Amino acid sequence: MKLLLVLVAASFVACSSADAPTPLENSRAGLESVKPVSNKKSIAEAFDAPITRMDGSTFRLADFKGKVVMVDFWATYCPPCVKQIPQLAELSKKYKDKGLEIVGLTTDEKTDQQKVEDFIKRLGINYTIGYANSWLSSAFLKGSEDDTGAPPIPQLFIISRDGKVVDHQVGDSPDRGVPYLEKIINRELSAK
């Protein structure tokens, strides 16, 4: 399975002119080789960048000012992403009315839109989805590249009501699962 993931990731990277995000396996060695990086200035500047939705309309992260925002970079071909997304859908269901906005940014190509739409339905994604353009990916993911030169996914950022990154997760870490996320969400939602 690991060899298959490496081959899929290698073929994806070979077909793209930019370094495409690669799935990060849930292993301590994999997680230790990539350090979370928060490019705070670049991320702050990215709040006004237009993000394209599946229907072609656009939104900006700035549209969610005053909310706690969780930004998740994912792809349909990423096993850790597939595992994490239903958990994020549950968090959205539980906390959306309390001020949490989850934004999923797919790194899949726009030419794979039907695949992405089927994936959204199959996993029950109930939060905002857009395409991660190269500018957004660079702003958020730059500096987190692994030994392949590509940033791994999933990467999850939690942004406070005042626009500051308060947590950044790389990969799928058991010790930073739903209970950990809920602790941060509740802390940020109660902050005034």
Side-chain angles (χ1 to χ4, degrees):
M1 182 68 167
K2 188 172 185 176
L3 178 59
L4 178 63
L5 285 175
V6 170
L7 291 173
V8 168
S11 67
F12 184 79
V13 170
C15 295
S16 174
S17 59
D19 289 335
T22 56
L24 183 65
E25 299 232 12
N26 185 9
S27 68
R28 296 314 297 164
L31 291 171
E32 290 168 2
S33 68
V34 179
K35 305 250 186 282
V37 174
S38 293
N39 304 310
K40 293 175 180 164
K41 184 177 182 213
S42 297
I43 290 170
E45 292 170 357
F47 272 57
D48 284 321
I51 302 169
T52 304
R53 298 179 195 264
M54 298 295 112
D55 65 5
S57 65
T58 60
F59 69 97
R60 302 170 307 132
L61 293 176
D63 296 341
F64 307 117
K65 186 178 180 176
K67 293 187 175 194
V68 174
V69 180
M70 186 179 294
V71 179
D72 177 39
F73 286 84
W74 60 274
T76 58
Y77 57 83
C78 169
C81 302
V82 173
K83 179 181 173 192
Q84 185 178 54
I85 285 172
Q87 296 169 348
L88 298 181
E90 283 299 315
L91 289 172
S92 179
K93 183 176 167 183
K94 186 172 181 180
Y95 292 100
K96 184 170 182 71
D97 291 341
K98 297 175 183 174
L100 175 68
E101 188 68 39
I102 299 179
V103 176
L105 298 176
T106 180
T107 60
D108 287 88
E109 297 292 325
K110 288 182 184 179
T111 56
D112 290 329
Q113 182 161 334
Q114 188 59 54
K115 181 179 175 182
V116 173
E117 288 176 358
D118 293 344
F119 184 84
I120 290 168
K121 286 179 189 170
R122 183 170 54 89
L123 292 181
I125 297 176
N126 57 358
Y127 48 86
T128 304
I129 296 294
Y131 285 103
N133 60 47
S134 59
W135 197 82
L136 277 169
S137 294
S138 178
F140 277 88
L141 306 179
K142 185 174 173 76
S144 67
E145 297 84 356
D146 59 18
D147 57 356
T148 69
I153 52 175
Q155 286 201 43
L156 188 69
F157 296 80
I158 300 177
I159 302 168
S160 67
R161 292 179 190 271
D162 61 355
K164 295 182 179 139
V165 175
V166 295
D167 196 70
H168 175 199
Q169 296 184 28
V170 179
D172 175 34
S173 176
D175 59 333
R176 296 184 85 172
V178 172
Y180 175 83
L181 292 174
E182 284 191 295
K183 181 179 173 184
I184 294 171
I185 291 166
N186 281 313
R187 180 190 75 207
E188 293 304 316
L189 288 174
S190 65
K192 299 292 178 195

